[in-house]
Amino acid sequence: MSLTVAAYPNLRLRRLRQSASIRELFQENHLNPSDLIWPVFVCEPGDDTEIATMPGVRRYLVDELPEQVEEAYQLGIRAILLFPKTPSALKTENAIEALNPKNLICKAIRKIKECVPKMVVLTDVALDPYTTHGHDGILKNGDVENDTTVDVLIKQTLNQVDAGADGICPSDMMDGRIQAIRCALEVKGRVNVLLVSYGVKYASTFYGPFRSAVGANLQGDKKTYQLNPANAVEALRDIKQDIAEGADGIIVKPGLPYLDIVSQAKSFGAPIWVYQVSGEYAMIKYAAANGAIVEEDAFYETCLSFKRAEASKIITYAAKEISKCLKKISA
Ligand code: PBG
C-alpha cells in the first residue's frame, strides 16, 4: 500500500484532539500569569467603591495597594498599570494637578515601590484624569492642541518617574510625544525608564466603563486624536512612528475588535502588548452574569486569542482572576 497525499483518510486531524493529554501535546499557545498586566484604579477616601459598570473591579485607597499588589505578585503577575480617580475639585482646564509631585498617582507609585518593590509599576500618561473637559490634552478652540499638550506630557512623565514609576505608557495619541518624552528622559539621565506607547489607540466605544471609573466627564469625542476604527494602514504607520521615536514596546487597544492589528504589528520587531479594555471586560462579565457564557472560559479564550495573534503581554482587569484559574488548572 502506498501513502500518497496527506489527505483524508491518512490525514485525520481529530487524532490531535482525542484526549486531554494529547491535546496538550499539540497545544500551540499557553497562557501564564506572567503574560498578564493588571490595571489598578486608585482613589481618595469616598471613591473606594466598586465601579458600577465594571462588576468585580473596585478603586483602591493608596493604603490598600500594598496588600493588593503583593497578592498579584504572589499570583505571578509582574506588572501593574495605575490609573487615578482625581477628585473633581482638583480637575482644571489645563490639568495642573497632573504635575503635582504629591498627587494621587505619585502617592500610589511611592507606596507600591516602598512596599512591593519587585512589582513593575507602569503609569498612564495623558491628561484626561485631570481635565474638567475629559480630554487627553490642552484645548485650543475646542480641539486638543498637539505641541502644547506634548510639553505638559513631558512634565507629567517626569513627575511620575520622579515618584518611582518603572515605565510610562503614553495613551494620549499626540504626534511626536514619544520622541519628546524619550529626549527629556535622556537629558535627565533617566535612561532606564521604559516607554511603552499606546501606538494604536482607536476612538472606541469600549472605553465607556473606564471613563466612569476615573470620573471623566468627556465633552464631545476623541476622534481628532484617536484612530478611526475603519483604518489599519494608518495604525501600522502610527506603530512605526512610535518605534522610530524610541518606544520600547507598543500597546494596541482595544483588543478583541483589533486582533488583525495585533497580528500585523508584530512585523515591526518590537514587543506588542494588547489591552482588553473596560468595555470588553464588561461584556464578558454581563453576559456571564446573565447565564449566556461561562466567565472563566471567556477570559481564557479571549486571552488565548491574543496569544495566537502574538501579543507578548495582555493588559486585563481580570488578571488576578485569570491567574487564580491558571493556578487551579496547573495544580
Ligand atoms: C485615557 C485612557 C483611556 C483608557 C486608558 N487610558 C480612555 C480614553 O481614551 O478615553 C481606556 C482603558 C479602558 O477602557 O479600559 N487616556
Side-chain angles (χ1 to χ4, degrees):
M1 188 175 97
S2 66
L3 281 179
T4 51
V5 282
Y8 174 85
N10 301 326
L11 183 67
R12 290 178 183 269
L13 288 170
R14 286 191 56 197
R15 269 199 293 267
L16 314 186
R17 304 170 202 152
Q18 57 187 298
S19 71
S21 297
I22 290 177
R23 284 193 293 277
E24 209 170 304
L25 200 60
F26 287 97
Q27 182 155 335
E28 297 171 34
N29 291 285
H30 295 85
L31 186 64
N32 298 301
S34 61
D35 294 326
L36 306 174
I37 295 171
W38 184 39
V40 182
F41 295 109
V42 57
C43 67
E44 298 287 4
D47 284 326
D48 49 327
T49 55
E50 182 159 314
I51 296 146
T53 48
M54 299 180 74
V57 175
R58 52 163 295 209
R59 304 179 197 95
Y60 293 103
L61 300 171
V62 172
D63 285 340
E64 294 175 312
L65 290 173
E67 189 188 335
Q68 289 298 323
V69 174
E70 178 65 35
E71 188 195 22
Y73 193 89
Q74 293 307 330
L75 285 166
I77 295 166
R78 293 292 176 262
I80 59 166
L81 179 54
L82 281 177
F83 294 100
K85 180 175 191 293
T86 308
S88 6
L90 296 176
K91 294 190 182 187
T92 52
E93 278 279 304
N94 61 2
I96 193 74
E97 178 63 9
L99 311 185
N100 174 3
K102 292 195 175 127
N103 68 14
L104 187 54
I105 196 84
C106 291
K107 284 191 284 187
I109 299 166
R110 277 195 206 95
K111 186 70 164 189
I112 297 166
K113 291 313 298 186
E114 181 191 309
C115 301
V116 198
K118 55 208 168 181
M119 182 63 92
V120 176
V121 174
L122 305 169
T123 56
D124 199 79
V125 157
L127 301 180
D128 55 321
Y130 308 96
T131 53
T132 37
H133 43 72
H135 280 284
D136 290 18
I138 306 295
L139 296 187
K140 193 173 176 194
N141 303 325
D143 192 14
V144 173
E145 200 186 50
N146 196 88
D147 298 5
T148 318
T149 299
V150 171
D151 288 341
V152 184
L153 295 175
I154 293 172
K155 294 183 184 141
Q156 182 187 20
T157 299
L158 296 175
N159 191 33
Q160 293 175 176
V161 166
D162 283 344
D166 298 295
I168 299 293
C169 305
S171 75
D172 53 284
M173 289 298 280
M174 296 304 112
D175 282 310
R177 90 274 202 223
I178 299 301
Q179 172 166 288
I181 291 173
R182 179 58 85 204
C183 286
L185 289 169
E186 285 290 319
V187 167
K188 293 272 177 191
R190 308 307 295 258
V191 298
N192 282 330
V193 173
L194 302 168
L195 205 44
V196 185
S197 158
Y198 291 89
V200 178
K201 181 169 180 184
Y202 282 94
S204 170
T205 191
F206 292 103
Y207 306 146
F210 173 94
R211 290 179 189 159
S212 323
V214 297
N217 181 21
L218 179 62
Q219 290 161 21
D221 58 50
K222 300 190 177 182
K223 291 181 184 170
T224 69
Y225 45 105
Q226 298 182 347
L227 278 153
N228 179 350
N231 293 358
V233 172
E234 189 182 341
L236 299 178
R237 293 180 76 192
D238 242 314
I239 295 175
K240 226 164 137 179
Q241 181 185 38
D242 284 3
I243 294 174
E245 290 185 13
D248 296 302
I250 297 291
I251 302 172
V252 175
K253 102 193 219 192
L256 218 49
Y258 300 96
L259 278 184
D260 57 327
I261 306 298
V262 176
S263 181
Q264 291 178 71
K266 192 72 192 184
S267 64
F268 294 109
I272 304 298
W273 298 359
V274 65
Y275 197 148
Q276 182 171 51
V277 300
S278 56
E280 300 178 74
Y281 171 88
M283 280 200 301
I284 292 177
K285 281 281 182 175
Y286 285 131
N290 286 287
I293 58 174
V294 177
E295 183 179 316
E296 282 181 25
D297 296 348
F299 280 119
Y300 185 57
E301 191 174 328
T302 48
C303 284
L304 281 180
S305 81
F306 299 137
K307 299 280 306 215
R308 251 184 11 253
E310 293 191 85
S312 57
K313 295 287 161 204
I314 301 161
I315 304 168
T316 173
Y317 298 96
K320 274 186 168 178
E321 288 97 312
I322 297 169
S323 301
K324 285 178 192 162
C325 291
L326 292 173
K327 281 220 145 88
K328 249 191 325 196
I329 297 169
S330 66

Coordinates of all heavy atoms in Angstrom, one line a residue, residues 40-120:
V40 N -4.9 49.0 37.7 CA -5.5 49.3 39.0 C -5.9 50.7 39.1 O -5.1 51.6 38.8 CB -4.4 49.0 40.1 CG1 -4.9 49.2 41.5 CG2 -3.8 47.6 39.9
F41 N -7.1 50.9 39.6 CA -7.6 52.3 39.9 C -7.4 52.7 41.3 O -7.7 51.9 42.2 CB -9.1 52.3 39.6 CG -9.5 52.0 38.2 CD1 -10.1 50.9 37.8 CD2 -9.2 53.0 37.2 CE1 -10.5 50.6 36.5 CE2 -9.6 52.7 35.9 CZ -10.2 51.5 35.5
V42 N -6.8 53.9 41.5 CA -6.5 54.3 42.8 C -7.3 55.6 43.1 O -7.6 56.4 42.1 CB -5.0 54.5 43.0 CG1 -4.4 55.5 42.0 CG2 -4.7 55.0 44.4
C43 N -7.7 55.8 44.3 CA -8.6 56.9 44.6 C -8.4 57.5 46.0 O -7.7 56.9 46.8 CB -10.1 56.5 44.5 SG -10.5 55.3 45.7
E44 N -9.1 58.6 46.3 CA -9.1 59.2 47.6 C -10.3 58.6 48.4 O -11.2 58.1 47.8 CB -9.3 60.7 47.5 CG -8.2 61.4 46.7 CD -6.9 61.5 47.5 OE1 -6.8 61.0 48.7 OE2 -5.9 62.1 47.0
P45 N -10.3 58.7 49.7 CA -11.4 58.2 50.5 C -12.7 58.7 50.0 O -12.9 59.9 49.6 CB -11.1 58.7 51.9 CG -9.6 58.9 52.0 CD -9.2 59.3 50.6
G46 N -13.7 57.9 50.0 CA -15.1 58.2 49.5 C -15.3 57.6 48.1 O -16.5 57.3 47.8
D47 N -14.3 57.5 47.3 CA -14.4 56.9 46.0 C -14.0 55.4 46.0 O -14.0 54.8 44.9 CB -13.5 57.6 45.0 CG -14.1 59.0 44.6 OD1 -15.3 59.1 44.5 OD2 -13.3 59.9 44.3
D48 N -13.7 54.9 47.1 CA -13.2 53.5 47.2 C -14.4 52.5 47.2 O -14.6 51.8 48.1 CB -12.3 53.3 48.4 CG -12.9 53.8 49.7 OD1 -13.7 54.8 49.7 OD2 -12.7 53.2 50.8
T49 N -15.0 52.4 46.0 CA -16.2 51.6 45.8 C -16.0 50.7 44.6 O -15.1 51.0 43.8 CB -17.4 52.4 45.6 OG1 -17.2 53.3 44.5 CG2 -17.8 53.2 46.9
E50 N -16.9 49.8 44.4 CA -16.9 49.0 43.1 C -17.4 50.0 42.0 O -18.1 50.9 42.2 CB -17.8 47.8 43.3 CG -17.9 47.0 42.0 CD -18.4 45.5 42.2 OE1 -17.9 44.9 43.2 OE2 -19.2 45.1 41.4
I51 N -16.9 49.7 40.8 CA -17.2 50.6 39.7 C -18.5 49.9 39.1 O -18.5 48.8 38.7 CB -16.1 50.6 38.7 CG1 -14.9 51.3 39.3 CG2 -16.5 51.3 37.4 CD1 -13.6 50.8 38.9
A52 N -19.6 50.8 39.0 CA -20.9 50.2 38.7 C -20.9 49.4 37.3 O -21.5 48.4 37.2 CB -21.9 51.4 38.6
T53 N -20.2 49.9 36.3 CA -20.2 49.3 35.0 C -19.1 48.3 34.8 O -18.9 47.7 33.7 CB -20.1 50.3 33.9 OG1 -19.1 51.2 34.2 CG2 -21.4 51.1 33.8
M54 N -18.3 48.0 35.9 CA -17.2 47.0 35.8 C -17.4 46.0 37.0 O -16.6 46.1 37.9 CB -15.9 47.7 35.8 CG -15.6 48.6 34.6 SD -14.0 49.4 34.7 CE -13.0 48.0 34.2
P55 N -18.4 45.1 36.9 CA -18.6 44.3 38.1 C -17.3 43.6 38.5 O -16.6 43.0 37.6 CB -19.6 43.2 37.5 CG -20.2 43.9 36.4 CD -19.2 44.8 35.8
G56 N -17.0 43.6 39.8 CA -15.8 42.9 40.3 C -14.6 43.8 40.3 O -13.5 43.4 40.8
V57 N -14.6 45.0 39.8 CA -13.5 45.9 39.8 C -13.8 47.0 40.7 O -14.8 47.7 40.7 CB -13.2 46.5 38.4 CG1 -12.0 47.5 38.5 CG2 -12.8 45.4 37.4
R58 N -12.8 47.3 41.6 CA -13.1 48.5 42.5 C -11.8 49.4 42.5 O -10.8 49.0 42.0 CB -13.5 48.1 43.9 CG -12.6 47.1 44.6 CD -12.8 47.1 46.1 NE -12.4 48.4 46.7 CZ -12.0 48.5 47.9 NH1 -11.9 47.5 48.7 NH2 -11.6 49.7 48.3
R59 N -12.1 50.6 43.0 CA -10.9 51.5 43.2 C -10.4 51.3 44.6 O -11.1 51.0 45.5 CB -11.4 53.0 43.1 CG -12.1 53.3 41.8 CD -12.6 54.8 41.8 NE -13.6 55.0 40.8 CZ -14.9 55.0 41.1 NH1 -15.4 54.7 42.3 NH2 -15.8 55.2 40.1
Y60 N -9.0 51.4 44.7 CA -8.4 51.2 46.0 C -7.8 52.5 46.5 O -7.4 53.4 45.7 CB -7.3 50.2 45.8 CG -7.8 48.8 45.5 CD1 -7.7 48.3 44.2 CD2 -8.4 48.0 46.5 CE1 -8.2 47.1 43.9 CE2 -8.9 46.8 46.1 CZ -8.8 46.3 44.8 OH -9.3 45.1 44.5
L61 N -7.8 52.6 47.8 CA -7.1 53.7 48.5 C -5.6 53.4 48.5 O -5.2 52.2 48.4 CB -7.5 53.8 50.0 CG -9.0 54.0 50.2 CD1 -9.4 53.9 51.6 CD2 -9.4 55.4 49.7
V62 N -4.8 54.4 48.5 CA -3.3 54.2 48.5 C -2.9 53.2 49.5 O -2.1 52.3 49.2 CB -2.6 55.5 48.7 CG1 -1.1 55.3 48.8 CG2 -2.9 56.5 47.5
D63 N -3.4 53.3 50.7 CA -3.0 52.3 51.8 C -3.4 50.9 51.5 O -2.9 50.0 52.2 CB -3.6 52.8 53.1 CG -2.8 54.0 53.7 OD1 -1.7 54.2 53.2 OD2 -3.3 54.7 54.5
E64 N -4.4 50.7 50.7 CA -4.9 49.3 50.4 C -4.0 48.7 49.3 O -4.0 47.4 49.1 CB -6.3 49.3 49.9 CG -7.3 49.7 50.9 CD -8.7 49.8 50.3 OE1 -8.9 50.4 49.2 OE2 -9.6 49.3 51.0
L65 N -3.2 49.5 48.6 CA -2.5 49.0 47.4 C -1.4 47.9 47.8 O -1.4 46.9 47.1 CB -1.8 50.1 46.7 CG -2.8 51.0 45.9 CD1 -2.0 52.2 45.3 CD2 -3.5 50.3 44.8
P66 N -0.6 48.1 48.8 CA 0.4 47.1 49.1 C -0.1 45.6 49.1 O 0.4 44.7 48.5 CB 1.1 47.5 50.4 CG 0.8 49.0 50.4 CD -0.5 49.2 49.8
E67 N -1.2 45.5 49.9 CA -1.8 44.1 50.0 C -2.3 43.6 48.6 O -2.0 42.4 48.3 CB -2.9 44.1 51.0 CG -3.4 42.8 51.4 CD -4.7 42.9 52.3 OE1 -4.9 43.9 52.9 OE2 -5.5 41.9 52.2
Q68 N -2.9 44.4 47.9 CA -3.5 44.0 46.6 C -2.3 43.7 45.6 O -2.4 42.7 44.9 CB -4.3 45.2 46.0 CG -5.6 45.4 46.7 CD -6.5 44.1 46.6 OE1 -6.5 43.5 45.5 NE2 -7.3 43.8 47.6
V69 N -1.3 44.5 45.6 CA -0.2 44.3 44.7 C 0.6 43.1 45.1 O 1.1 42.4 44.2 CB 0.6 45.6 44.6 CG1 1.9 45.4 43.7 CG2 -0.2 46.8 44.0
E70 N 0.8 42.9 46.4 CA 1.6 41.7 46.8 C 0.8 40.5 46.4 O 1.5 39.5 45.9 CB 1.7 41.8 48.4 CG 2.4 40.6 49.0 CD 3.9 40.5 48.6 OE1 4.6 41.5 48.4 OE2 4.4 39.3 48.4
E71 N -0.5 40.5 46.5 CA -1.3 39.3 46.2 C -1.1 39.0 44.6 O -0.9 37.9 44.2 CB -2.8 39.5 46.5 CG -3.6 38.3 46.3 CD -5.1 38.5 46.2 OE1 -5.5 39.6 45.9 OE2 -5.8 37.5 46.4
A72 N -1.1 40.1 43.9 CA -0.9 40.0 42.4 C 0.4 39.4 42.1 O 0.6 38.5 41.3 CB -1.1 41.3 41.7
Y73 N 1.5 39.8 42.9 CA 2.8 39.3 42.6 C 2.9 37.8 43.0 O 3.5 37.0 42.2 CB 3.8 40.1 43.5 CG 5.2 39.8 43.0 CD1 5.8 40.5 42.0 CD2 5.9 38.7 43.6 CE1 7.1 40.2 41.6 CE2 7.2 38.4 43.2 CZ 7.8 39.2 42.1 OH 9.1 38.9 41.7
Q74 N 2.2 37.5 44.1 CA 2.2 36.1 44.5 C 1.5 35.2 43.5 O 1.9 34.0 43.3 CB 1.5 35.9 45.9 CG 2.3 36.5 47.1 CD 3.7 36.0 47.2 OE1 4.1 34.9 46.8 NE2 4.6 36.9 47.6
L75 N 0.6 35.8 42.8 CA -0.1 35.0 41.7 C 0.7 34.9 40.4 O 0.3 34.2 39.5 CB -1.5 35.7 41.4 CG -2.6 35.5 42.4 CD1 -3.7 36.5 42.2 CD2 -3.1 34.1 42.4
G76 N 1.8 35.6 40.4 CA 2.7 35.5 39.2 C 2.6 36.7 38.3 O 3.3 36.7 37.2
I77 N 1.8 37.7 38.6 CA 1.7 38.9 37.8 C 2.9 39.8 38.1 O 3.3 40.0 39.3 CB 0.4 39.7 38.1 CG1 -0.8 38.8 37.7 CG2 0.3 41.0 37.4 CD1 -2.1 39.2 38.2
R78 N 3.6 40.3 37.1 CA 4.8 41.0 37.3 C 4.8 42.5 37.0 O 5.7 43.3 37.1 CB 5.9 40.4 36.4 CG 6.3 39.0 36.9 CD 7.0 39.0 38.3 NE 7.3 37.7 38.8 CZ 6.5 37.1 39.7 NH1 5.4 37.7 40.2 NH2 6.8 35.9 40.2
A79 N 3.6 43.0 36.5 CA 3.5 44.4 36.2 C 2.0 44.9 36.5 O 1.1 44.2 36.2 CB 3.9 44.8 34.8
I80 N 1.9 46.1 37.0 CA 0.6 46.7 37.1 C 0.6 48.1 36.4 O 1.7 48.7 36.1 CB 0.2 47.0 38.6 CG1 1.2 47.9 39.3 CG2 0.0 45.6 39.3 CD1 0.7 48.4 40.6
L81 N -0.6 48.5 36.0 CA -0.8 49.8 35.3 C -1.7 50.6 36.1 O -2.9 50.2 36.3 CB -1.3 49.5 33.9 CG -1.6 50.6 32.9 CD1 -0.4 51.5 32.7 CD2 -2.0 50.0 31.6
L82 N -1.2 51.8 36.6 CA -2.0 52.6 37.6 C -2.8 53.7 36.9 O -2.3 54.4 36.0 CB -1.1 53.2 38.6 CG -0.5 52.4 39.7 CD1 0.5 53.3 40.5 CD2 -1.6 51.9 40.6
F83 N -4.1 53.9 37.4 CA -4.9 55.0 36.9 C -5.5 55.7 38.1 O -6.1 55.0 39.0 CB -6.0 54.5 36.1 CG -5.6 53.9 34.7 CD1 -5.5 52.5 34.6 CD2 -5.3 54.7 33.7 CE1 -5.1 51.9 33.4 CE2 -4.9 54.1 32.5 CZ -4.8 52.8 32.3
P84 N -5.5 57.0 38.2 CA -6.0 57.7 39.3 C -7.5 58.2 39.1 O -7.8 58.6 37.9 CB -5.1 58.9 39.5 CG -4.7 59.2 38.0 CD -4.7 57.9 37.3
K85 N -8.3 58.2 40.1 CA -9.6 59.0 40.0 C -9.3 60.2 40.8 O -9.4 60.2 42.0 CB -10.7 58.2 40.6 CG -12.0 59.0 40.5 CD -13.2 58.2 40.9 CE -14.6 58.9 40.6 NZ -14.8 60.1 41.3
T86 N -9.1 61.3 40.1 CA -8.8 62.6 40.7 C -10.0 63.2 41.2 O -11.0 63.2 40.5 CB -8.1 63.5 39.6 OG1 -7.1 62.8 39.0 CG2 -7.6 64.8 40.2
P87 N -10.0 63.7 42.5 CA -11.2 64.4 43.0 C -11.6 65.5 42.1 O -10.7 66.2 41.6 CB -10.8 64.9 44.4 CG -9.6 64.0 44.7 CD -8.9 63.7 43.5
S88 N -12.9 65.7 41.8 CA -13.3 66.7 40.8 C -12.9 68.1 41.2 O -12.6 68.9 40.3 CB -14.9 66.7 40.6 OG -15.5 65.9 41.4
A89 N -12.7 68.4 42.5 CA -12.3 69.7 42.9 C -10.9 70.0 42.4 O -10.5 71.2 42.3 CB -12.4 69.8 44.4
L90 N -10.1 69.0 42.0 CA -8.7 69.2 41.6 C -8.6 69.2 40.1 O -7.5 69.4 39.5 CB -7.8 68.1 42.2 CG -7.7 68.1 43.7 CD1 -6.9 67.0 44.2 CD2 -7.1 69.5 44.2
K91 N -9.7 69.0 39.4 CA -9.6 69.0 37.9 C -9.7 70.4 37.4 O -10.5 71.2 37.9 CB -10.8 68.2 37.3 CG -10.7 66.7 37.7 CD -11.7 65.8 36.9 CE -11.5 64.4 37.3 NZ -12.3 63.5 36.5
T92 N -8.9 70.7 36.4 CA -8.9 72.0 35.8 C -8.9 71.9 34.3 O -8.7 70.8 33.7 CB -7.7 72.8 36.2 OG1 -6.5 72.0 36.0 CG2 -7.7 73.2 37.7
E93 N -9.0 73.1 33.6 CA -8.9 73.1 32.1 C -7.5 72.6 31.7 O -7.4 72.0 30.7 CB -9.0 74.6 31.7 CG -10.4 75.1 31.5 CD -11.0 74.7 30.2 OE1 -10.4 75.0 29.2 OE2 -12.1 74.1 30.2
N94 N -6.5 73.0 32.4 CA -5.1 72.8 32.0 C -4.4 71.6 32.7 O -3.2 71.4 32.6 CB -4.2 74.0 32.0 CG -4.1 74.6 33.5 OD1 -4.7 73.9 34.4 ND2 -3.4 75.7 33.6
A95 N -5.2 70.9 33.5 CA -4.7 69.6 34.1 C -3.5 69.8 35.1 O -2.6 68.9 35.2 CB -4.4 68.6 33.1
I96 N -3.4 70.9 35.7 CA -2.2 71.3 36.5 C -2.0 70.2 37.6 O -0.8 70.0 38.0 CB -2.4 72.7 37.1 CG1 -1.1 73.2 37.7 CG2 -3.5 72.8 38.1 CD1 -0.1 73.6 36.7
E97 N -3.0 69.5 38.1 CA -2.8 68.5 39.1 C -1.9 67.4 38.7 O -1.3 66.7 39.5 CB -4.2 68.0 39.6 CG -4.2 66.9 40.7 CD -3.6 67.3 42.0 OE1 -3.3 68.5 42.2 OE2 -3.4 66.4 42.8
A98 N -1.9 67.2 37.4 CA -1.0 66.1 36.8 C 0.5 66.3 37.2 O 1.3 65.4 37.1 CB -1.2 66.0 35.3
L99 N 0.8 67.6 37.4 CA 2.2 67.9 37.7 C 2.5 68.1 39.2 O 3.7 68.4 39.5 CB 2.6 69.2 36.9 CG 2.1 69.3 35.5 CD1 2.6 70.6 34.8 CD2 2.6 68.1 34.7
N100 N 1.6 67.8 40.0 CA 1.8 67.9 41.4 C 2.5 66.7 42.0 O 2.0 65.6 41.8 CB 0.4 68.0 42.1 CG 0.4 68.0 43.6 OD1 1.5 68.0 44.2 ND2 -0.7 68.0 44.2
P101 N 3.7 66.9 42.5 CA 4.5 65.7 43.0 C 3.8 65.0 44.1 O 4.2 63.8 44.4 CB 5.8 66.4 43.5 CG 5.8 67.8 43.2 CD 4.4 68.2 42.8
K102 N 2.8 65.6 44.7 CA 2.1 64.9 45.8 C 0.7 64.4 45.3 O -0.2 64.2 46.2 CB 2.0 65.8 47.0 CG 3.3 66.1 47.6 CD 3.1 66.6 49.0 CE 4.5 66.8 49.7 NZ 4.7 68.1 50.2
N103 N 0.5 64.3 44.0 CA -0.9 63.9 43.6 C -1.1 62.4 43.9 O -0.2 61.7 44.3 CB -1.1 64.3 42.1 CG -0.2 63.6 41.1 OD1 0.3 62.5 41.5 ND2 -0.2 64.0 39.9
L104 N -2.3 62.0 43.6 CA -2.7 60.7 44.0 C -1.8 59.6 43.3 O -1.4 58.6 44.0 CB -4.2 60.5 43.5 CG -4.9 59.3 43.9 CD1 -4.9 59.0 45.4 CD2 -6.4 59.4 43.4
I105 N -1.5 59.8 42.0 CA -0.8 58.8 41.3 C 0.7 58.7 41.9 O 1.2 57.6 42.1 CB -0.8 59.0 39.8 CG1 -0.3 57.8 39.0 CG2 0.1 60.2 39.4 CD1 -1.4 56.8 38.8
C106 N 1.2 59.8 42.2 CA 2.6 59.8 42.8 C 2.6 59.2 44.1 O 3.5 58.4 44.5 CB 3.2 61.2 42.8 SG 3.5 61.9 41.2
K107 N 1.6 59.4 44.9 CA 1.5 58.8 46.3 C 1.4 57.3 46.1 O 2.0 56.5 46.8 CB 0.3 59.3 47.0 CG 0.5 60.7 47.6 CD -0.7 61.1 48.6 CE -1.9 61.4 47.9 NZ -3.0 62.0 48.7
A108 N 0.6 56.8 45.1 CA 0.4 55.4 44.9 C 1.7 54.7 44.4 O 2.1 53.7 44.9 CB -0.7 55.2 43.8
I109 N 2.4 55.4 43.5 CA 3.7 54.8 43.0 C 4.6 54.7 44.1 O 5.2 53.6 44.3 CB 4.3 55.8 41.9 CG1 3.4 55.9 40.7 CG2 5.7 55.2 41.5 CD1 3.8 57.1 39.8
R110 N 4.8 55.7 44.9 CA 5.7 55.7 46.1 C 5.4 54.6 47.0 O 6.3 53.8 47.4 CB 5.7 57.0 46.8 CG 6.6 58.0 46.2 CD 6.9 59.2 47.1 NE 7.2 60.4 46.2 CZ 6.3 61.3 45.9 NH1 5.1 61.2 46.4 NH2 6.6 62.2 45.0
K111 N 4.1 54.4 47.3 CA 3.7 53.4 48.3 C 4.0 52.0 47.7 O 4.6 51.2 48.5 CB 2.2 53.6 48.5 CG 1.6 52.7 49.5 CD 2.1 53.2 50.9 CE 1.3 52.7 52.0 NZ 1.7 53.4 53.3
I112 N 3.7 51.8 46.5 CA 4.0 50.4 45.9 C 5.5 50.1 45.9 O 5.9 49.1 46.2 CB 3.3 50.3 44.6 CG1 1.8 50.4 44.7 CG2 3.7 48.9 44.0 CD1 1.1 50.6 43.4
K113 N 6.2 51.1 45.4 CA 7.7 50.9 45.2 C 8.3 50.7 46.6 O 9.4 50.0 46.7 CB 8.4 52.0 44.5 CG 8.0 52.1 43.0 CD 8.0 50.8 42.2 CE 9.3 50.0 42.0 NZ 9.2 48.8 41.1
E114 N 7.7 51.3 47.7 CA 8.3 51.1 49.0 C 7.9 49.7 49.6 O 8.7 49.1 50.2 CB 7.6 52.2 49.9 CG 8.0 52.3 51.3 CD 7.1 53.3 52.0 OE1 6.9 54.4 51.6 OE2 6.5 52.9 53.1
C115 N 6.7 49.3 49.3 CA 6.2 48.1 49.9 C 6.3 46.8 49.1 O 6.5 45.7 49.6 CB 4.7 48.2 50.3 SG 4.4 49.6 51.4
V116 N 6.2 46.9 47.8 CA 6.4 45.8 46.9 C 7.3 46.1 45.7 O 6.9 46.2 44.6 CB 5.0 45.3 46.3 CG1 5.1 43.9 45.8 CG2 3.9 45.4 47.3
P117 N 8.6 46.4 46.1 CA 9.5 47.0 45.1 C 9.7 46.1 43.8 O 10.0 46.6 42.8 CB 10.8 47.2 45.8 CG 10.7 46.4 47.1 CD 9.2 46.2 47.4
K118 N 9.5 44.8 44.0 CA 9.7 43.9 42.8 C 8.6 44.0 41.7 O 8.8 43.6 40.6 CB 9.9 42.5 43.3 CG 8.7 42.0 44.1 CD 9.1 40.9 45.0 CE 7.9 40.7 46.0 NZ 8.1 39.7 47.0
M119 N 7.5 44.6 42.1 CA 6.4 44.7 41.1 C 6.8 45.9 40.1 O 7.1 47.0 40.6 CB 5.1 45.0 41.8 CG 3.9 45.1 40.8 SD 3.6 43.6 39.9 CE 2.4 42.8 40.9
V120 N 6.7 45.6 38.8 CA 6.9 46.7 37.9 C 5.7 47.6 37.9 O 4.6 47.2 37.6 CB 7.2 46.1 36.5 CG1 7.3 47.2 35.4 CG2 8.4 45.2 36.5

